[in-house]
Amino acid sequence: MTATAAPVVLDRDGLGALVAALVAQGRTVVGPTVRDGAIVLAEMTSADALPYGWGVELDAGRYRLVAREDGAAFAHSAGPQSWKSYLHPQRELLWSADRTPEGDVSFTSHEPDVPAYAFLGVRPCDLRAIAIQDRVLTGGRFEDTGYGKRRRGALLIAAECTEPGATCFCVSTGGGPAADPGYDLALTEVVDEDGHRFLVRAGSEEGARLLEQVPHRAADVATEATARASVDGARDRMGRSLPPVDLRDLMGASLDAERWNDVAERCLTCGNCTMVCPTCFCTTTEEVTDLTGDHAERWQHWDSCFDLDFSYLHGGPVRSSARSRYRQWLTHKLSTWHDQFDTTGCVGCGRCIAWCPAGIDITEEVAALHAERGPETETETETETETETETER
């Protein structure tokens, strides 16, 4: 079988055999599991750990598990974590330094112990997010070597969406419930009167070789048709959407919008949106020492543009107001990200909506900015980027 071979069908036991084959290869399998009232990513040694029979109810600032009668494993929306937690971990040792009794100092670079990951159940939005982080963290002159090592060894098994959540809006960001290229295997779950099964496509030679190791059968016409109809139907059932306008232009022309004051009154600047976002990548570093002062370490950890110290310069923070920090995050995500990386920074997963304690909805904010701007003229004029005003500081 090659990566261009026809799709095949696995039953539930076949999915279990797939996970067993990955474990036998020495891979660390990570997939969705149920814990503490949420569907979270965790290491697994058996497909039995998948959230069979569980779905979710989502809204702004709301997330609830709900039982399903069909026993589906992937009929749920994205949970609070993304694969960023494994590829771009929250905290990572960069190097250490030791002082000898003679007063000399030696430095030791930390080489991360990188497992061979197999990510099971990667949503199409998260598949796009991984591609975006690939570009950000490995596509420039200065590669994040830890990310690069983890990413190159990771095998991606996508699970196409058939049940979009109320906070999902991937279609309006240019994506959709179908998996884009970049996966090793893509699963589409089908549960109907003919049974519980998975239509599987190979997207790489490694994925094709893996399929050869597990029991499967050729895909029948009915299963293929049902799978495609389920994914196509999900495209029309997105819970939310961004306005169908040039978002890059809209955000650049909205720097002085009154709406920023409105959202600033609600935003707690807690940074939850950046922590759950699958594409946000900002980090900072800190040095720590032991009590003797003879051993020091430099650690890299996640940071957020909502942190008051994130933009701190010698005279103080550049963005001291909630208004300026929220504006920075949203404008970068939807507009200036294009200037840096030639792509949007949003994949429409909806996590920032569901996990915002104040229930702030990114799609609602963008729609309000569009409404405040008013009808667009036939010829858009370029807007100049303005510095922060004294009142914002």
Side-chain angles (χ1 to χ4, degrees):
M1 177 181 292
T2 68
T4 57
V8 301
V9 173
L10 301 182
D11 59 17
R12 181 164 168 169
D13 289 340
L15 184 62
L18 179 67
V19 174
L22 291 167
V23 172
Q25 290 179 0
R27 288 189 174 273
T28 298
V29 182
V30 180
T33 64
V34 174
R35 189 182 74 232
D36 298 332
I39 294 178
V40 299
L41 301 178
E43 295 182 17
M44 59 177 62
T45 57
S46 167
D48 293 338
L50 290 168
Y52 289 105
W54 288 102
V56 295
E57 288 183 353
L58 303 172
D59 208 336
R62 187 177 187 276
Y63 178 101
R64 295 290 185 276
L65 279 181
V66 293
R68 297 177 59 92
E69 296 182 357
D70 60 6
F74 300 110
H76 55 84
S77 301
Q81 300 160 295
S82 69
W83 309 96
K84 177 177 77 172
S85 301
Y86 292 89
L87 295 174
H88 184 48
Q90 298 180 34
R91 186 172 171 83
E92 182 176 11
L93 178 62
L94 300 180
W95 52 257
S96 61
D98 292 280
R99 182 165 54 197
T100 67
E102 293 76 24
D104 297 325
V105 178
S106 62
F107 291 86
T108 304
S109 296
H110 175 68
E111 294 296 331
D113 183 14
V114 179
Y117 283 121
F119 294 155
L120 174 62
V122 180
R123 294 299 183 183
C125 56
D126 282 339
L127 191 65
R128 291 181 65 214
I130 291 173
I132 290 173
Q133 286 220 318
D134 287 351
R135 188 178 186 95
V136 172
L137 299 175
T138 65
R141 292 176 57 193
F142 305 103
E143 177 180 332
D144 183 319
T145 55
Y147 177 92
K149 289 180 180 179
R150 284 181 286 267
R151 176 66 181 91
R152 283 188 287 273
L155 186 140
L156 306 183
I157 303 176
E160 295 190 309
C161 288
T162 58
E163 296 283 345
T167 59
C168 293
F169 58 99
C170 64
V171 172
S172 61
T173 65
D180 290 334
Y183 57 82
D184 294 285
L185 293 175
L187 314 178
T188 310
E189 188 170 25
V190 176
V191 185
D192 58 17
E193 62 276 5
D194 293 327
H196 191 172
R197 57 207 187 277
F198 304 87
L199 182 72
V200 187
R201 307 190 309 276
S204 71
E205 294 295 338
E206 186 171 9
R209 287 193 296 269
L210 179 62
L211 269 185
E212 292 175 348
Q213 301 176 39
V214 299
H216 62 268
R217 60 180 174 84
D220 56 280
V221 174
T223 297
E224 287 195 68
T226 302
R228 294 279 66 78
S230 297
V231 174
D232 290 341
R235 173 177 289 275
D236 299 325
R237 300 199 315 276
M238 292 289 122
R240 281 166 166 77
S241 65
L242 290 168
V245 297
D246 186 336
L247 298 178
R248 184 178 182 182
D249 175 73
L250 172 64
M251 302 308 296
S254 301
L255 298 180
D256 294 320
E258 182 63 26
R259 184 67 182 190
W260 301 122
N261 294 324
D262 180 273
V263 71
E265 293 179 354
R266 293 172 282 132
C267 179
L268 305 177
T269 66
C270 64
N272 258 23
C273 51
T274 59
M275 298 298 104
V276 298
C277 177
T279 64
C280 280
F281 59 88
C282 290
T283 59
T284 189
T285 57
E286 63 177 351
E287 283 77 38
V288 296
T289 64
D290 63 6
L291 293 177
T292 68
D294 291 331
H295 178 78
E297 297 175 344
R298 168 170 283 189
W299 288 81
Q300 174 180 279
H301 61 81
W302 288 358
D303 204 352
S304 170
C305 52
F306 283 93
D307 188 339
L308 187 60
D309 289 337
F310 184 78
S311 64
Y312 185 89
L313 299 178
H314 65 280
V318 174
R319 305 183 191 98
S320 60
S321 69
R323 179 186 192 274
S324 60
R325 297 205 292 280
Y326 188 89
R327 186 182 69 176
Q328 159 62 23
W329 173 69
L330 191 56
T331 301
H332 184 218
K333 185 67 60 178
L334 299 179
S335 180
T336 54
W337 202 296
H338 287 275
D339 299 327
Q340 290 179 283
F341 309 114
D342 297 320
T343 180
T344 180
C346 180
V347 295
C349 68
R351 288 184 176 95
C352 61
I353 303 173
W355 296 97
C356 174
I360 296 173
D361 182 341
I362 182 177
T363 64
E364 180 182 315
E365 298 310 313
V366 176
L369 290 170
H370 177 51
E372 181 177 341
R373 186 184 182 193
E376 298 182 34
T377 59
E378 292 184 4
T379 303
E380 297 292 346
T381 58
E382 293 184 359
T383 59
E384 297 180 354
T385 301
E386 300 180 359
T387 58
E388 300 289 335
T389 66
E390 289 299 323
T391 56
E392 287 177 328
R393 295 180 181 175

